[in-house]
Amino acid sequence: MEKITYNFNYLIAVALTTAMGGLLFGYDISVISGTIPFITDYYSLNEYTKGFVVSSLYIGCMIGVLGAGRLSDKFGRRRILLYAALLFAISSIGAALAVDLTIFVIFRIIGGLGVGIASILSPLYIAEIAPEKHRGAFVTMNQLTIVVGMLLAYYINYLLLEIGDTSWRYMLAVMAIPSLLFFIGLLFVPESPRWLIQHHQSVKARKILRRMGGDYYASLTIDTLSIEQNPQKPAKTSFAALKKVKRIVIIGSILCFLQQWSGINTIFFYAPDIFARTGVDIDSQLGQSVFLGVINVLFTIVAMVLTDKLGRVKLLTISTTGMGLAYVLLGLFFYLDKLEGYGVLIICMSTVALYA
């Protein structure tokens, strides 16, 4: 059997370019934390409207997630990711310039559309172009870029603080730069060979696959999918098909739900608000948020190393139990009004580490 020699330089470059969708995802969901102290005063927000403004991103996110798969099956992964890059750019500039709260929320929802699309298609595309034996390592690039994007948001928020009362506009506008770089990068990224084969464009797919792993790899991949010999339309997901793996689907769905319901966004979004209760100034609030971003990146790398060694269940048990205890401690600190010192920061950092 002929040996496959992968062009890893090319594959990694393509995967990293696509993973910029994860970076923008991370930046967009975290940048709002640095703007909260400013937009609260600018838009005269109370606790309820503040909560809605912060979470409005997820309205667009839900719509983006629901539509991304179907649209990408029809028009291609790359094309829909290009639209997502434009949505990120439009959202950042629009929200930065908004003088009306309604307009601000609309542009945040537009950004959410980009987040929803990128959260689905960036890892999907990477999985489809990655060699089977290395697929896990390639897909984790997207998760790593998400937490790097979150760290960048915290750090840029901190750097832009010196501008003054209008610094929140610059915090939001900065995202337009990586958005446009993502768009330009995608122009040089090929369409997913798997998608091309499913749409009977085997000639184009073969050319891309050759560049990824040579002639033998191209032929093997096309033969494995049995498209040239037995053409068929992309498989449609049905509830009947899901019944065969119902238990796995239910467990996976519950884990995804609990991952978000674990309360971590309280810390990611409201870190400056939490730290403000400890009596520190705005400079220290955003500076401590940067620490959270660093911890998130470091322990994501730790998780990537430990997952295969310790197993998924053990890591999930340790992390969720630890997070639960951390939230109880954080609640006690607030209840007892013992917020001075580094106790709150340490608990928040521990929670983020366990979540990662």
Side-chain angles (χ1 to χ4, degrees):
M1 189 173 71
E2 198 173 333
K3 186 178 179 181
I4 300 171
T5 304
Y6 294 110
N7 185 352
F8 280 109
N9 289 337
Y10 177 66
L11 285 167
I12 290 170
V14 170
L16 284 175
T17 300
T18 312
M20 279 193 69
L23 186 142
L24 290 165
F25 171 3
Y27 189 98
D28 206 7
I29 64 173
S30 300
V31 68
I32 194 71
S33 67
T35 69
I36 288 174
F38 301 101
I39 64 173
T40 299
D41 293 334
Y42 185 84
Y43 292 120
S44 301
L45 303 178
N46 57 37
E47 294 303 318
Y48 297 102
T49 53
K50 188 198 306 186
F52 175 75
V53 169
V54 170
S55 60
S56 60
L57 180 90
Y58 285 102
I59 297 172
C61 190
M62 286 189 290
I63 298 169
V65 165
L66 289 171
R70 196 174 293 271
L71 288 172
S72 71
D73 280 345
K74 185 174 182 179
F75 299 109
R77 320 312 191 203
R78 176 176 168 272
R79 183 183 296 183
I80 304 304
L81 279 171
L82 282 165
Y83 291 141
L86 290 177
L87 288 171
F88 279 122
I90 291 167
S91 167
S92 63
I93 295 170
L97 296 175
V99 293
D100 179 80
L101 180 59
T102 302
I103 300 299
F104 181 83
V105 169
I106 288 171
F107 278 110
R108 287 294 291 166
I109 292 173
I110 290 172
L113 287 171
V115 168
I117 293 169
S119 68
I120 293 292
L121 296 189
S122 286
L124 175 62
Y125 177 93
I126 293 170
E128 289 185 344
I129 62 116
E132 187 176 356
K133 290 183 179 178
H134 305 280
R135 191 164 292 151
F138 270 75
V139 173
T140 54
M141 287 184 192
N142 189 69
Q143 179 59 30
L144 189 58
T145 56
I146 290 173
V147 295
V148 169
M150 296 172 74
L151 173 58
L152 280 175
Y154 294 137
Y155 185 62
I156 289 171
N157 286 351
Y158 180 68
L159 289 180
L160 294 175
L161 189 61
E162 294 181 1
I163 294 173
D165 291 341
T166 59
S167 61
W168 65 275
R169 296 190 183 275
Y170 294 92
M171 294 173 186
L172 294 165
V174 162
M175 194 176 68
I177 298 171
S179 300
L180 293 175
L181 290 175
F182 183 40
F183 182 87
I184 294 168
L186 286 171
L187 296 176
F188 299 94
V189 165
E191 182 51 83
S192 162
R194 180 178 289 271
W195 184 88
L196 290 170
I197 293 169
Q198 288 176 338
H199 287 76
H200 320 309
Q201 299 181 48
S202 296
V203 176
K204 288 183 180 178
R206 186 179 291 276
K207 185 178 179 181
I208 296 166
L209 289 166
R210 274 185 192 146
R211 189 171 181 186
M212 291 178 174
D215 288 327
Y216 177 66
Y217 174 66
S219 298
L220 184 65
T221 302
I222 292 173
D223 290 344
T224 300
L225 293 172
S226 303
I227 298 298
E228 290 184 334
Q229 292 79 13
N230 184 26
Q232 60 181 7
K233 293 181 180 179
K236 292 184 178 179
T237 302
S238 66
F239 286 106
L242 289 178
K243 283 182 180 179
K244 297 178 182 178
V245 288
K246 182 171 69 173
R247 184 169 177 271
I248 297 170
V249 171
I250 290 172
I251 292 171
S253 299
I254 290 172
L255 284 174
C256 288
F257 174 77
L258 292 176
Q259 183 206 35
Q260 289 302 305
W261 202 43
S262 66
I264 195 64
N265 288 334
T266 305
I267 293 177
F268 283 147
F269 290 175
Y270 294 101
D273 260 17
I274 293 171
F275 297 139
R277 303 294 179 89
T278 67
V280 299
D281 57 22
I282 183 67
D283 190 76
S284 296
Q285 292 168 31
L286 297 190
Q288 290 177 4
S289 297
V290 174
F291 277 116
L292 297 185
V294 171
I295 291 294
N296 197 19
V297 172
L298 290 177
F299 278 85
T300 295
I301 296 170
V302 169
M304 289 165 64
V305 173
L306 292 180
T307 299
D308 288 330
K309 291 183 178 180
L310 296 182
R312 281 70 164 158
V313 174
K314 183 177 286 186
L315 278 181
L316 280 171
T317 303
I318 293 169
S319 61
T320 51
T321 303
M323 286 176 68
L325 293 172
Y327 287 133
V328 170
L329 283 174
L330 191 60
L332 283 173
F333 268 74
F334 274 86
Y335 181 75
L336 299 172
D337 198 22
K338 302 289 186 181
L339 302 176
E340 294 182 2
Y342 293 101
V344 171
L345 175 61
I346 291 170
I347 293 173
C348 288
M349 290 172 67
S350 301
T351 309
V352 169
L354 289 160
Y355 177 78

